[in-house]
Amino acid sequence: MSPRRLRPVPALAPLGRLWLGLARLRNALYDSGLLASHDVGPPVVSVGNLTAGGTGKTPVVAWLARHLGTSGLRVAIVSRGYGGRPPTAVWLVDADPTRMRETVAAAGDEPTMLAVQRVAAMVIVGRDRVAAARLAAERGAGVILLDDGFQHRRLARRLDIVLVDHGDPLGGARGLPAGLLREPPAGLRRADLCLVTRCPAPLAALHRPLAATEIPAPLQAALGDTVSGTPPVFAVRFAPRAVVLPSGEQVAPDTLRDRRLLLVSGIAGPS
């Protein structure tokens, strides 16, 4: 059982149903064109999920940014900047590691990490992600990565990548706050690509779309007919490559073996 799996709270079930109902209505308004999506020019690639956090979006965004950058593209990352209070409505994140404390307070921890690691040409945060994407376009971005953007349909995108956790792909199968679902599971069919994260090593080693029998049952039920009109599903697994010391030096993960450690974690699935 995944450590992220929630115990059902019957008292919250009506709120969960209300949340999913509102999400379904909002999606219908976008699907019908009554709510508009805005194209800012450069192609936008969204990396998101169905649930509230914990699927590994930030490592995937960092990997994509590096990969696209080595292809010669000027990459911008656009984020809501949760937890931060930027000095302006749309803010270019400071990449100076000596100012990290101030930058985290302004932009939030994940955008700061991405900026300091310089995985992209720029990292921009803002509550209005259409405005943030427009700033990226003005600053010469060739492609924009929208971090945590699957439900942010106001910004038009060329590609929707959705991550789900192998151990609990549907976040308890209940809407917030009764479960972790941000929208009904059928919303996954809007995706262009689905990545099942934290998979067992044999699945992650396949390097091909998963067959229906290899997809976790709750996810398979959400996808329905995987042959017709639904996204290809791939298995991925995160593996540590290095330990970064305070000096910036990188050493092998085995350096930590048999040592007493204090681990402080603020991510959604710390185990």
Side-chain angles (χ1 to χ4, degrees), residues 142-162:
V143 62
I144 298 170
L145 297 180
L146 179 60
D147 187 9
D148 194 11
F150 190 51
Q151 287 77 33
H152 192 77
R153 298 187 63 182
R154 186 166 165 262
L155 178 59
R157 71 288 310 274
R158 301 281 183 88
L159 189 70
D160 259 312
I161 302 173
V162 178

Side-chain angles (χ1 to χ4, degrees), residues 4 8 14 19 22 40 66 71 75 78 80 102 136 156 173 199 209 217 226 229 244 248 258 263:
R4 296 180 65 247
W19 179 282
L22 292 174
V40 298
R66 290 191 182 100
S71 302
V75 181
V78 167
R80 167 68 175 79
E102 297 90 338
C199 281
T226 57
V244 182
D258 299 325
L263 175 63

